[in-house]
């Protein structure tokens, strides 16, 4: 079974959304039924990837960074979407961090990079804004020798 993980921005500008969606679909095409998708289900790229992966018949593995992870969702709609995707997961990995810290987020991203055959990065190419951000996980994965596919459109910056 091929394992594909994701890292990516929580905020995806509207002008790049269709490009990102097409890139995720292209990356998952041809793996129907033989794919494990790893995601932390954060708002943005993680949830978009999980949706596409499930639509392609992948088994979803969610990596939960901390005991209070759900408290980080901004509103009830975001939390509902997270819970809906988590309920569809085949496996759930819970890390031992009690609180959602940068270290917990880095550990979750590193877990995904450690356990995938390929990492998809919905990434504008800029440095991480805090430990555990997309840029950090891309650097970590590349350091492991993991293939990393960056999905973004040149010239578009995130908020």
């Amino acid at each position: 079974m091929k394992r594909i993980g994701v890292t990516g921005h929580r905020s995806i500008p509207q002008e790049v959304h269709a490009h990102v969606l097409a890139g995720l679909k292209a990356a998952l095409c041809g793996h129907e039924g033989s794919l494990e998708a790893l995601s932390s289900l954060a708002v943005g790229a993680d949830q978009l990837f999980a949706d596409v992966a499930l639509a392609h018949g992948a088994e979803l593995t969610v990596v939960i960074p901390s005991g209070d992870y759900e408290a980080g969702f901004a509103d009830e709609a975001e939390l509902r979407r997270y819970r809906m995707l988590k309920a569809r997961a085949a496996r759930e990995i819970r890390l031992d961090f009690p609180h959602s810290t940068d270290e917990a987020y880095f550990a979750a991203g590193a877990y995904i990079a450690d356990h995938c055959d390929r990492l998809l990065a919905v990434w504008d190419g800029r440095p991480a804004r805090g430990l555990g951000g997309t840029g950090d996980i891309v650097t970590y994965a590349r350091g492991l020798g993991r293939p990393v596919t960056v999905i973004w459109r040149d010239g578009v910056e995130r908020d």
Side-chain angles (χ1 to χ4, degrees):
M1 177 176 285
K2 186 165 181 99
R3 296 167 302 169
I4 298 179
V6 70
T7 187
H9 301 312
R10 291 176 187 242
S11 174
I12 301 172
Q14 193 59 41
E15 63 267 28
V16 77
H17 191 271
H19 176 81
V20 167
L21 185 59
L24 291 172
K25 287 179 179 178
L28 295 171
C29 189
H31 297 291
E32 288 84 354
S34 64
L35 181 65
E36 178 183 359
L38 293 96
S39 172
S40 289
L41 299 181
V43 169
D46 286 13
Q47 290 186 2
L48 190 59
F49 168 76
D51 276 334
V52 172
L54 288 166
H56 278 80
E59 288 186 7
L60 179 62
T61 296
V62 296
V63 181
I64 309 302
S66 63
D68 68 351
Y69 190 55
E70 288 191 2
F73 290 88
D75 58 42
E76 197 57 39
E78 284 185 2
L79 183 57
R80 212 174 19 257
R81 181 166 159 72
Y82 162 79
R83 287 177 174 164
M84 181 272 301
L85 288 166
K86 190 173 86 155
R88 296 182 63 198
R91 278 170 295 293
E92 183 177 312
I93 307 298
R94 287 193 163 271
L95 301 186
D96 290 333
F97 293 87
H99 303 291
S100 292
T101 61
D102 288 350
E103 290 79 12
Y105 296 141
F106 182 85
Y111 182 95
I112 289 170
D114 286 339
H115 292 87
C116 71
D117 302 310
R118 178 177 173 198
L119 184 70
L120 303 181
V122 179
W123 181 45
D124 62 4
R126 299 181 63 109
R129 293 180 178 167
L131 178 66
T134 305
D136 289 342
I137 302 307
V138 168
T139 299
Y140 178 82
R142 287 178 172 161
L144 295 173
R146 291 283 179 274
V148 176
T149 301
V150 175
I151 302 171
W152 200 260
R153 198 170 76 212
D154 289 339
V156 177
E157 293 188 21
R158 65 188 163 110
D159 300 331

